[in-house]
Each structure stands twice: as C-alpha cells, then as structure tokens.
Amino acid sequence: MAKAWPGLDEAVARAADDPRDARAEVLRAAGTLETAALPEFLEHAARVFAASSLPEDAAFLFGRARDVEDAHARLLGLPADPARAQRTLTGLVPSGAITASVLHDHLRRLATHPEPETAHRWAREAVCAFLDTGTIPYPNFVADLLPVARAAGLDAAAEERFVAERLLRDGLLPRAPLPVWEALDGALRGLAADDGLLDLLIAGRPDPALYDDPEPRTAHHRHWLRLLGLAGAGRRLSREWFRDAGPLPADELMRLASTAGDRLFPPPGRWFDPAADPVVGRARAHPLTPAKPKRNGFNDEAPSWRAGTDFAGIAATIEDEPDERRKLDAFVRNLGYYDNIDYAAVLRALLEHGPIRRVLADQFAEWRNECAAGDLDGLEPALLRLVPMAETMPDADLLAGLEITDPLDAAWRALRTGLPEELRFPSAGNGSATAVLHGELLTLGLGGERVVVLGPGGVVHERDLAFPTGAHPWSDGTDMYLSRLYDRRPETYRVADGGRLEVPDGARPRWPQSPASVPVTFPGAAEPVQVTLDRGVLRLLADGRTTMRRRFPFGQANGVVMPPPGFWPHLEPADPGGSAALRRLDRAGFARLVDAALVTGRELDDELVRVLPDVADVRLRDAVRALADRAAAALRRSLRLHDALGLARPAGTPGRIASVSGLRAGRQVAQIPPVRYVAELLAEAAGSGPAYDTPHPLGRVDTPRPNYLWFGTLGGEALLAARPWTPEHQRAKARDRLGALGDTPWGDGGGRWRRLWFQAKATQDPVGQVWRTPNGAMMILSFQNHPHKDSVAIEYSPDGEFRDFVFPGWTNKHDPRPQGWGGADRIARFLRLLDERGPAPYDVAAIHRLAERTGLRPHTAASAAYGFPFTLGRESESALLPPEVDALYRDPGTGDLLKHESWQLDDALREVLMPDEPEALWIDGLAVDKAVEWWEREGARIDWPRAA
C-alpha cells in the first residue's frame, strides 16, 4: 500500500524559477515526518522532480537521502535500506538525475556490502542502466566496478570482459573516453579473437567529437590503432581500408599492417632472398659457434669426456643432433686444457665409433679448407681446432697433408690490397644508425629520429624523421620510404607529411636496390679490388683470392657507419698519405709490426710510428694495429701447429719468435718473445752508465709477462721428462718447455741470469720498473699486493758475476735462483737421446745414497729426483710408479704415504741432479755427487718453505 507523503506540486512548480527555495520547501516538508521515514520521502521527492524533467533537483534530493541515511546510521543506529536505494537509483538513471559522483558513491558503498553477490548484481544493474541509455557513466567506472567483483569472488579479468563485450555489442565504444579503453585493453584484445567481435572493434573508432583538444583526440585514435594491431586486426582489413585510412602513425600502422599478410605486401618473388639482401641480410652464426662462458675464466661448454665415457651413446645421436656436434667441436678446442688428462687416450676411444669419426671428418674438412684459404679470417677459427688436435694426436688422418696459410703473408696481403678503413665513411654520431643504398643514393637513419640522404657529390636531403627499430629509411630521389623485413616478408611504407606512413599504391613491392658486388680501387692502388656483400659477410677479393672477410657492421661503429659496397667508389680517402704508405709497405716492414705485437701493446704503438709514420688517420692506424695484433696471435698458433706436425716453419718468421737454435717450442712458443724482449731491455740497461753499490731506477716499461716460475728449472724439467713412468702427454709438454726456454737467453745455461723474489715493506706498484744494479740490470715482473706484498724480478749480469745487494724498501722472500742447467746444444742432445734411447733408467739406490750423504729423508730425496705425484687429480700418474719407487714415498713400517716437505727444495735439488752432459743420464744416472756438493755449499743453510 502506497504511503501518503506531503504534497510537492508547489515546490515542483517553483523549481524552474527558484530551485533553492523549491528544495528548501521539500526539506521543510520532510521535517514534519518521522525520523525513519526521511530517506524514503527524499527518494520519493527525487522521483517526482525527475518525472517533471528537473534532474538536477532530483540528484540533489537523492544525495540528501544518502546523507540522512548516513547520519541516522551514525547517530541513531538506524539501518539503511540499500535495496530501496538501488531501485531508486536505477529508476532515476534514464532521467539524467544520477551523476557520475552519485554512481561512484553508490559503487563505493556496494564494495563493503555484507552480501557480496547481491552487491555485485546491483553494481552491474546500476552500470547497465547507464549503458541502456547509450551513456558511458564516467571515465573510471571500470575501476570502481572491480572491488565489488573481487568481493564477490569474481576475477577482475572476467568483469572487464563483461563490460568490454557489452560496450562492443551495443556500439558504445566510440563514445567511451580513453581511460575506459585503457582499463579494458586486455579484455578487448581477448574478445578480438572472435572475428565478429573484432569487426565491431574495427568499427569502434573513437568519436573525434569526444575532445576539443587535438592532443587527447590524437592519443585516443592512436590507442585504437595500437589495439587493432595487437589484436591482429590486419587479417580482417582490406588494402582499400588502409588506403582510405590515409597516413597513420608509424608504429601503429606497421603493427597493424604486419598482420594483413600478403594481401597488403605481395610476395616479392623467388629472386628475393632475405638472407642475401644487402639491407636485411645478416651473417648467420656458424653452427659450431661456442656459447659464451657462464662464468669468467671457466670453460663451461667443453664436455668432460674421459676414456671411459659412453661414446656409443653419443655416436647413436651425433649425426642428427646439432648440440652433440657442438659438444664434439668444443671437446676438440679444449684438448690439452687439463694437465692430468691423457687426451690422446680419450681421442682413441672416441674415434672407435664410426658416426663420431664421420662427423669429425666433416668438421675437419671445413677447417682444413679454411686453413689453406689464404686469408686470416679463415685461418683463425681453423687454428683453434687444428692446433689442439695436432698436439694431442699428430699422426691423425684428419691432419694428413695439411696446408697451412702463413698468417703474416695473409695479413700483409690484406693490408697491401686495401683496408675498408682507408675510405672516409659517413659520420653517424654515437647513437644507432642504418645505411641503405638505392641506386646512387645512400640514406642514413640516425638515432631513430633523423635521416640524411647522400649522393655521389654529398648531401642531397636531410630531415627529422622518427622511425622504429628494425625499420630502414631510404630515398628514391622523390619520396622517402621505410622498409623492414617482417616474418621473412619485405614491407615498405611511404613517408607522408608529419612523419606519418602509408602503404604505397601498386601491386609491385617497393624495395631498395643496390649492387652486391662492385670493383673498388683503394687509394694509391693500381688495380681494383672486388668488394662483395653476401649474407651479411663483407669480402674483399684480389686476383680471385679472398684477402679479407668480416661480418658487415650494420649500424655505427666508433662514430661512423659503413655503407654498402655499391657506395664505396664515391667515398673520399680517409688518409691519402697513409694509404700510399700501406701500398709501399713490404713484408719485412709488416713483420716488424708483428714482431712488436708479440710482446706488448706499447711496443707495437712505437713500432707503428717508426714503420708507418705517414699513417695519420686514427681509424686507419687502429685498423693496421688490430691487423698486426691478429697476425701475431695467429702466428703463435700457426707455429705451434708446425711444431706439432714436425713441419718446417715458414720463412721470414719475425725475429723475436723465430727459432735461432732449431729447437721447437710447440705449446710454449708464446713464452719466447716476452723472454727475449726482457733480455733485450736488460742487456741495454746494463750498459747504460756506471753501476753503484745500491740499485738505482732507470725508468719503467710496459713489460710482458713471461712465466718466471719456469726460470732455472730446465734441468729438473729434463729429469721429469726422462722418467720411464712419465705419461707421454706430459713428456710432450716438458719437451715444449725445454724447447721454448732453451731458445732464449734464460735457457742458454750461461749463468748470466738469476731470479729474485722480494717481500715488500709497504704497498707499491713496481711492475715494469727497470733498475741498474751493482751486477747489471733488473726488471720487476710481478707484484702481489694481497696478502703477501711480494714481487719477482729478473736480474742480468753481463759477466755472470752476482753479489747480493740491498734493495731499498724490500727484503728477500726466497733465496735468488740461479739460471741453472741449459744451453740449446745440451737441450737438443737431450731431446735426441730421449727420441733414440727412450726414457732413462731409474736407480733407487741413487736415491738412498743422496739421502744418506745429505741427511735428507729418502722420500724427500725421491720427491726432488722424481717429483711428488700424490696430489689430488694425479692418481693415474702415481699408479704408474714402479713398486720400488713407490716405496720411497712411504713409511717403511706402516706403508703410509709420508708428508711432502717442500716444493722449493724439490725444484732446487732436482736442477742439480741433472748431469751437465745429458748423455751421462743414460750412463751414470743422477748427478748425486754434484747434488751433494750443492747441498753442502748452499742447500743446507736455506730454510726451505714447507709444503701446505
């Protein structure tokens, strides 16, 4: 039964002229009612005013009803009637009486309603009441709906999807402001998977009349385009749609067009090969390219294969599994890495399996070809595989008849023929850059925001143009285009006014065209060189042979950008005088550069000034320097390969690394240049003025780092190499150490060198210091600041006479080590005897005689003579000891292994146990008398450091 309320006709009649008085009259009428009836009366009044087309007054009265309810609940404890308020609100929506703030307040109240499911149903009813009238409630209504949905246990995405679908199907999206689109972005993308709903989204272009300001209008339009692109709307759009749409923002158009497929960008035909195209072709990584180490200093990629590995299981899959082939290649590159592994035994076990042999043969066929190709770029990766294999198994069929390119010849030929850095490449700043050639026009895209077009005579056109990553701007002389490769499909867009893009007219695809191979005459050259760009690899050929290969540097490097070869004939020389000097440079001159590169960077820089004083351009000088450095690194590996295979070394090898004695350095060839360099400097320093009683500094040099731990150990090295139980792989390494140092002043046995080991009293940085000493000259080779603060130095005395001196600020940590046994002739005779007679006989009685005469314990004497093979990882070596030798290291009563005493004592005593004449080792055995004499003269007075 309807309630009887005070009449409101007079108040309604006055509202149009005096709304304030009309509202006051309604409130006065409410004052005559019971307290509990006030909210319902005010809602009744709101409906009356709304029915009389007075929405603002109705909104005021509905809001006052809510205020009264809140006051009653707070002050009197009277409960509100949310169901009545819900009915009133939804009934008032068509009249326009429910404002955004009223709906926002209503949804906020529903979020805390004690019955979440009912509240959620009411919230949707309230919002849908607005949508039923074709009205978007307010920009952030979706965010207000979500707390109500979550309280009811609904997923936010489901609520967003409900609203998005309602807006789509009712055609309300065009009138929805940007915040609504942003809130429903994910839901709209999901719904667009349905073609029917996607068509509604395409038709839902935002109404431009929503905004007076062009900035938000543009942002809203771009959001719609972006959403279409992310939803893959291109699959529903025709070429005519893109034409009618006119120029569009670059990112949005390219994203949208990419989903239109071949209807928008027809296939270019069979002659277009993306991998070979000069614009988008990139050099593919070699299938055996090693992965980047996961930890610095560790070879994480190489498999830990041993002789007992299940190679049958590997063989079953290796021909079909690229990862297994990469592992095999990594294993080959890692051969010889660990000293305690017999890699030859592992190789023999591995090669018993046919599939592995076939894969390895295929891999080595490629490396053999690269090794013989004649250019440094093929030689370098080949040597990384061939050298370890040759040093492990020199008689392998894989290496038979190997042809080895001389790295000096290859690098010198490349330099004489022409270097890309001789041409002045366009400047590109420090940001990203693209370079596209079409005809004779080179277009540079700089930093994704500017374009410069160059012709044979210079700059033709330049402009600001923002373009996305992966797009390549180019010009045909009339229009500017952006091209890219998307999903192996070439796409080209024409640049319109304002930097917007459009799809060009015509069925024939547009794409920049330039030659992939051109003749280029470098500055000062008599003949042209053929320069090609194919599959991302730049290649220079002279007389039909490759002189240089490199990955084409797409983008800027060191502030310049390399253009495609077709533009090279139009480039100016970077340094005409420098290029002329390179054309004149003979092999001997380049060998001087490589000789310097073998020791230090500073020496190379100085030699560059002496050999090529006319090269003034920094970029060209750096290129020559890098080439000399690479040639030096390849030369070290090449000489190792020659030595491992027993081949004659190439003629014209630089002096610092050439063998002057005929000894082969093999694995240790890299030790020769730094040792000889140090010897050169100290010989010069020893003759630079008078000597005093205390050292005085002469200066500082950029010193190389020879392995000073091997100094004065060649006699001991020979003894260990001659043991019958020494594994052959370790014997080969010992031979290389003897051959390397025996070919240097340190190993000449002349007694003019000694090693000093100092302890610092304060923190210093002495590496590279050269001192004039009372005996001659000294160089500091190392410094360890923590925890020991010690340094190693090498001293040279021209007459071989040494007397102790005080080195200010330092004390002796260890006694000086003399040069010891050596001499190229002795070492050569020793190695020849080892080849002809095999290992020298051992004599346990000699160990006991040494122990008795020196007072040393037998196991200490044995460690000096034969080494101490009982450390972790050497179990396979200690197992090779004859029983009577093994007994020397053990307690006679218990058989337990006795504790090792001193590594330093081992090295010093072993050095003097080697007979002066190597033949005596096979006839008389150990030089016990010489060792005893040394012990009584020097060894017994030294406090030898104990082993840990």
Side-chain angles (χ1 to χ4, degrees), residues 405-418:
T405 295
D406 183 344
L408 256 74
D409 285 345
W412 174 59
R413 186 165 171 265
L415 188 147
R416 283 286 301 270
T417 302

Side-chain angles (χ1 to χ4, degrees), residues 888-909:
L888 293 171
Y889 297 91
R890 301 186 180 277
D891 186 302
T894 64
D896 293 338
L897 184 67
L898 294 168
K899 181 177 174 59
H900 181 241
E901 290 199 17
S902 172
W903 297 108
Q904 288 82 356
L905 173 58
D906 286 355
D907 288 347
L909 186 53

Side-chain angles (χ1 to χ4, degrees), residues 822-858:
D825 177 65
R826 281 188 184 137
I827 293 172
R829 284 155 49 203
F830 169 80
L831 295 175
R832 186 168 57 251
L833 288 166
L834 192 58
D835 287 337
E836 294 172 354
R837 302 185 184 182
Y842 65 93
D843 183 6
V844 172
I847 303 299
H848 287 291
R849 288 199 308 275
L850 177 63
E852 291 169 2
R853 294 177 61 185
T854 58
L856 296 171
R857 300 175 67 184

Side-chain angles (χ1 to χ4, degrees), residues 134-158:
T135 304
I136 303 297
Y138 54 90
N140 295 319
F141 79 92
V142 177
D144 290 341
L145 264 179
L146 296 183
V148 187
R150 282 193 290 266
L154 270 72
D155 182 56

Side-chain angles (χ1 to χ4, degrees), residues 43 189 425 508 571 625 932 945:
E43 291 176 5
R189 288 171 59 184
F425 294 156
R508 186 174 182 180
L571 297 174
R625 188 186 193 282
V932 171

Side-chain angles (χ1 to χ4, degrees), residues 306-388:
R306 301 294 182 265
T309 296
D310 178 19
F311 289 119
I314 296 171
T317 61
I318 193 167
E319 292 182 297
D320 301 317
E321 291 291 338
D323 285 344
E324 290 298 325
R325 295 195 291 275
R326 276 192 290 269
K327 287 180 183 178
L328 177 62
D329 179 69
F331 175 74
V332 169
R333 286 185 281 106
N334 202 52
L335 289 171
Y337 188 82
Y338 295 106
D339 189 55
N340 62 335
I341 296 176
D342 185 355
Y343 285 98
V346 184
L347 270 179
R348 286 191 293 270
L350 178 150
L351 292 172
E352 291 177 358
H353 301 273
I356 299 179
R357 284 199 306 274
R358 288 192 293 272
V359 170
L360 199 58
D362 288 344
Q363 292 179 355
F364 267 73
E366 177 183 0
W367 304 128
R368 289 170 63 97
N369 290 337
E370 292 286 24
C371 187
D375 65 310
L376 202 58
D377 306 87
L379 181 63
E380 288 168 322
L383 290 174
L384 292 175
R385 281 86 175 176
L386 297 172
V387 171

